[in-house]
Amino acid sequence: MKQLSEIRSNWHNSFLRGDVEILKDIEMPSFKAVNELGIECRDARYSTINKRVSDGRWFKSSVYASDVSLDILELGDTCIITGLGEIRSKDSTIRRIFFSEIWIKINEGWKINQIHTSNANI
């Protein structure tokens, strides 16, 4: 699980930095992000991230992700991770989200296939 934890942390950090090239490496070609706005496929998501980064409307460099609660269910080469997470800056919580992630082990490495998020108004 250490390998998955490290890859997952790298994936979160890459998302918050807007590093699409690393996201492409960690996300499967079939990757989808599901949230209250709908379903976003991989390429549309990358386009949105790149545009917001270039417009200066992405996360500040001091922002980081933190898990408040985490459940991990490993089923052979598939791992389902659910929990409550936060996007934080030094002194405040920017957003709290419930999430579920589907990770698949391919050639001894983990790739994410799907994330589902919803705002946690708690």
Side-chain angles (χ1 to χ4, degrees):
M1 292 307 335
K2 182 180 176 191
Q3 180 194 31
L4 176 55
S5 178
E6 290 171 357
I7 290 171
R8 188 172 174 265
S9 178
N10 187 25
W11 177 66
H12 283 148
N13 292 331
S14 298
F15 173 76
L16 293 172
R17 286 191 317 265
D19 191 334
V20 168
E21 292 310 309
I22 292 178
L23 293 175
K24 286 179 181 179
D25 188 49
I26 298 172
E27 296 172 355
M28 295 182 67
S30 57
F31 177 84
K32 301 230 180 338
V34 181
N35 59 43
E36 59 276 355
L37 300 175
I39 301 171
E40 191 171 34
C41 71
R42 183 176 135 129
D43 292 336
R45 185 166 168 266
Y46 297 156
S47 178
T48 299
I49 292 169
N50 281 330
K51 173 104 174 82
R52 288 186 180 166
V53 168
S54 69
D55 290 348
R57 297 184 306 124
W58 198 245
F59 296 100
K60 295 179 182 176
S61 61
S62 61
V63 170
Y64 62 96
S66 175
D67 292 321
V68 175
S69 66
L70 195 67
D71 285 317
I72 300 172
L73 176 61
E74 191 172 359
L75 303 165
D77 288 341
T78 301
C79 190
I80 300 168
I81 301 176
T82 58
L84 172 64
E86 295 179 332
I87 297 175
R88 300 186 53 85
S89 65
K90 270 189 199 178
D91 302 322
S92 66
T93 300
I94 297 168
R95 185 176 176 206
R96 291 173 64 97
I97 56 170
F98 293 112
F99 63 87
S100 62
E101 304 166 355
I102 300 172
W103 291 83
I104 299 173
K105 193 170 193 178
I106 299 173
N107 299 328
E108 302 305 313
W110 289 96
K111 303 258 185 200
I112 187 164
N113 190 51
Q114 187 177 93
I115 183 167
H116 178 251
T117 61
S118 61
N119 287 324
N121 299 318
I122 57 174

